[in-house]
């Protein structure tokens, strides 16, 4: 399970916005000097990310929380969003080229149509109720200071 610590910054019905800064994983990783994620975090200046998660543990604004996602869910979502449209784009380009008798324009149209279809399929499959690609709260540490303004 991949975890990240963050702070609840807003409530949205039965969900909360959690703000995280992606530095804790980089500090403990053995590949930190050669990792692209660390390079991206360096370019962004360690900017905060916000994620909307279900408030299953009744967290409040200002609470420090731990957000987690299963490795298999992250891998599955990555394959669905990146690999499926790419594979379909290649299949569409080859099909368009073959069906048109070698026309490049048909290959480009086939690639574009197939890639768009891949994104549509990824969106439908990813939003189906049986799939759980969302992170979830696993721990809440109540804020020690009341946030009365």
């Amino acid at each position: 399970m991949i975890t990240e610590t963050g702070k609840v910054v807003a409530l949205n019905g039965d969900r909360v916005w959690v703000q995280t800064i992606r530095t804790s994983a980089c500090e403990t990783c053995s590949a930190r000097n050669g990792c692209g994620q660390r390079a991206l975090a360096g370019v962004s200046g360690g900017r905060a990310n916000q994620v909307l998660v279900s408030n299953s543990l009744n967290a409040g604004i200002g609470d420090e929380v731990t957000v987690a996602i299963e490795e298999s869910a992250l891998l599955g979502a990555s394959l669905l969003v990146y690999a499926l449209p790419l594979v379909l784009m290649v299949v569409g380009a080859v099909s368009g080229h073959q069906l048109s008798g070698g026309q490049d324009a048909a290959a480009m149209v086939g690639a574009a149509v197939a890639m768009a279809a891949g994104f549509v399929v990824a969106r439908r499959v990813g939003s189906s109720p049986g799939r759980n690609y969302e992170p979830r709260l696993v721990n809440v540490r109540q804020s020690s200071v009341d946030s009365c303004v």
Side-chain angles (χ1 to χ4, degrees), residues 53-132:
V53 296
S54 178
N55 192 5
S56 58
L57 300 177
N58 295 323
I61 295 176
D63 290 347
E64 190 172 314
V65 296
T66 303
V67 180
I69 188 168
E70 294 290 335
E71 290 94 349
S72 60
L74 185 61
L75 178 62
S78 297
L79 288 173
L80 185 64
V81 171
Y82 295 114
L84 180 66
L86 182 63
V87 168
L88 288 180
M89 181 186 78
V90 172
V91 169
V94 170
S95 298
H97 184 69
Q98 293 294 330
L99 292 174
S100 70
Q103 298 292 321
D104 290 340
M108 290 187 288
V109 169
V113 168
M115 185 173 69
F119 285 128
V120 169
V121 168
R123 173 118 174 136
R124 288 205 176 136
V125 170
S127 63
S128 66
R131 305 284 178 162
N132 191 11

Side-chain angles (χ1 to χ4, degrees), residues 6-8 55 57-66 139-146:
K7 188 175 192 177
V8 176
N55 192 5
L57 300 177
N58 295 323
I61 295 176
D63 290 347
E64 190 172 314
V65 296
T66 303
N139 189 14
V140 176
R141 287 176 292 288
Q142 301 294 323
S143 174
S144 61
V145 177
D146 290 334

Side-chain angles (χ1 to χ4, degrees), residues 1-84:
M1 187 174 294
I2 300 169
T3 61
E4 186 68 37
T5 302
K7 188 175 192 177
V8 176
V9 293
L11 299 174
N12 187 359
D14 62 341
R15 303 177 79 130
V16 292
W17 283 101
V18 178
Q19 184 173 8
T20 64
I21 298 176
R22 193 178 292 247
T23 56
S24 62
C26 294
E27 297 305 320
T28 59
C29 180
S30 62
R32 65 180 167 204
N33 292 330
C35 177
Q37 180 64 41
R38 183 167 173 87
L40 287 174
V43 170
S44 69
R47 283 189 303 204
N49 300 314
Q50 290 188 358
V51 62
L52 184 64
V53 296
S54 178
N55 192 5
S56 58
L57 300 177
N58 295 323
I61 295 176
D63 290 347
E64 190 172 314
V65 296
T66 303
V67 180
I69 188 168
E70 294 290 335
E71 290 94 349
S72 60
L74 185 61
L75 178 62
S78 297
L79 288 173
L80 185 64
V81 171
Y82 295 114
L84 180 66

